[in-house]
């Protein structure tokens, strides 16, 4: 009898400790996804290829060249292709859409608000991100604040790395998305 | 004695399985709310009625007409009345406040960051949204990333439908908010 | 034997009831943090000291004076020092980075999207916020939608109060952050 009770209670303990998917202290992601996206900033001469445009700037700046003081105050709107590898010409699996804001006067940092709209055989749905991006740091963490479709209600952390850039026209970001709250 | 123990353990099981409100696999919302909001874009001639204004645009565009290339790069700031039904003249129950960004060159899509500030006999509090809005699709899902007041800490999914529009000046959105994480 | 079982079951009950940190009905924060940040808007003459700049405005407005109609349509980008007390000259513990949008024609309200990037002996990580800010109300609640580093995955409510302001150039906000979802 005592054995039965202890066994049952032990079983309960197991249940309780497994009751928080992704909420354990060891913080093991319940899902992971690595994707790349490619940003080509409009500079007045690349209308056909550009995937983003500067749409706001502080007094005295124009909209075809990033502002002089570390681009402070520039807002860029983007619609960038997402690929599974680091090749701009790989078949896109979705679009990264939203904005980035350059927000420091004495170094390069930005603030990001954007979504991944994925539409491939593997994934269909959106992932929503916001966060601070200290561009000069090798890897930066932002928040995954929600998702829809295949990513219904999920939350997590996205680790961003600048995978490549060419002058101030092209850059490629590697995004390692770790979901810790899965549904 | 055994019966007592089993009963107690069964009771525990029930407790455990009910421990995740809204986090069950069937994804039944713990709360639902259908609201409408009405957006009248400032076009240089409707200052009195307008509830939103274009405040940013790419090089070469102006701020009283949406940009030519599917409005790509336009940012509009809005403060729109929220109603319980689809009538613009119904008594507002709050305001939808924030911004939308047109973010595609070859179709109409936008990125949304906004809040519902509700203030009626039924609801008092705010609901915060972000997400991608592929405007031409019949219904689009965005994330409810948090709330305050009556919507304290709640998360969910908002399904948006364009309920009506008149040219490029007026549009009305139907928002079906399903909360899956209730507190 | 019965006593043992009841004791064990009682222990289980405790475990179950403690299984949702911050998700109890009494809504006691699992963590709290009070911080101040300081915003100095660029007005064309204070380039050295300014920590924010107007970067977008509706038709007819300029970028060195907030727009006339309750600043409706202005977007300001900021990189503000965060301090532990209300003194602008205290050693900063991090930066508040992001944007605010003035979004009403007949009173002062704004929409906030920003992050705290904390970097001190006590805290290292980011906290991400969005929400509606009815500026003229004494205290306003916005959502903490996620965090990284020391604030990994945390969610909560931030209560904002305008602690001081000088004309339309300087203002100081007191932010009382209550986390209800801790990891």
């Amino acid at each position: 009898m005592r054995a039965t009770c202890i066994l049952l209670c032990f079983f309960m303990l197991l249940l309780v400790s497994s009751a928080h998917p992704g909420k354990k202290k060891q913080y093991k992601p319940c899902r992971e996804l690595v994707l790349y996206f490619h940003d080509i900033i409009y500079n007045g001469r690349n209308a056909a290829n550009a995937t983003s445009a500067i749409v706001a700037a502080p007094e005295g700046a124009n909209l075809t060249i990033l502002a002089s003081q570390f681009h402070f105050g520039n807002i860029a709107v983007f619609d960038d292709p997402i690929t599974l590898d680091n090749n701009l010409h790989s078949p896109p699996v979705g679009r990264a859409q939203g904005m980035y804001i350059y927000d420091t006067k004495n170094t390069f940092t930005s603030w990001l608000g954007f979504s991944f709209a994925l539409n491939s055989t593997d994934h269909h749905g959106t992932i929503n991100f916001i966060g601070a991006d200290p561009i000069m740091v090798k890897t930066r963490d932002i928040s995954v604040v929600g998702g829809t479709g295949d990513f219904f209600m999920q939350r997590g952390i996205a680790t961003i790395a600048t995978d490549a850039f060419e002058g101030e026209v092209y850059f490629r970001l590697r995004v390692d998305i770790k979901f810790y709250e899965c549904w």
Side-chain angles (χ1 to χ4, degrees), chain A:
Chain A
M1 176 56 220
R2 170 176 291 178
T4 311
C5 181
I6 285 170
L7 258 174
L8 272 166
C9 288
F10 179 70
F11 179 59
M12 301 302 304
L13 247 173
L14 277 181
L15 265 175
V16 170
S17 60
S18 72
H20 290 90
K23 293 217 176 177
K24 292 160 206 158
K25 279 289 165 192
Q26 68 265 33
Y27 301 146
K28 201 174 162 291
C30 42
R31 191 173 181 180
E32 191 169 355
L33 206 58
V34 177
L35 295 166
Y36 294 80
F37 71 96
H38 307 262
D39 193 73
I40 302 170
I41 303 177
Y42 177 63
N43 64 1
R45 297 182 303 277
N46 59 353
N49 293 329
T51 63
S52 70
I54 306 166
V55 301
E59 187 63 19
N62 71 50
L63 299 179
T64 50
I65 303 170
L66 285 163
S68 52
Q69 220 179 6
F70 294 94
H71 314 336
F72 180 68
N74 275 136
I75 299 182
V77 170
F78 62 90
D79 171 38
D80 293 346
I82 300 171
T83 57
L84 295 175
D85 61 18
N86 65 4
N87 187 340
L88 169 60
H89 303 292
S90 293
V93 294
R95 311 292 296 186
Q97 302 181 319
M99 63 168 183
Y100 49 87
I101 299 175
Y102 285 98
D103 57 11
T104 316
K105 288 195 301 182
N106 55 3
T107 182
F108 295 103
T109 69
S110 76
W111 192 81
L112 304 170
F114 67 101
S115 303
F116 274 8
L118 295 172
N119 191 0
S120 70
T121 41
D122 286 333
H123 302 293
H124 191 82
T126 68
I127 308 171
N128 297 316
F129 306 83
I130 75 168
D133 178 8
I135 298 169
M136 308 306 281
V137 177
K138 200 178 175 203
T139 61
R140 302 86 78 176
D141 284 350
I142 62 171
S143 289
V144 176
V145 296
T148 67
D150 290 353
F151 307 96
F152 177 83
M153 290 291 287
Q154 300 198 352
R155 291 205 309 130
I157 305 285
T159 302
I160 289 181
T162 305
D163 194 55
F165 65 94
E166 289 168 23
E168 299 204 327
V169 168
Y170 172 75
F171 65 83
R172 180 171 68 229
L173 295 182
R174 182 186 190 276
V175 186
D176 184 347
I177 306 168
K178 291 192 174 78
F179 295 101
Y180 294 94
E181 181 169 342
C182 295
W183 283 63

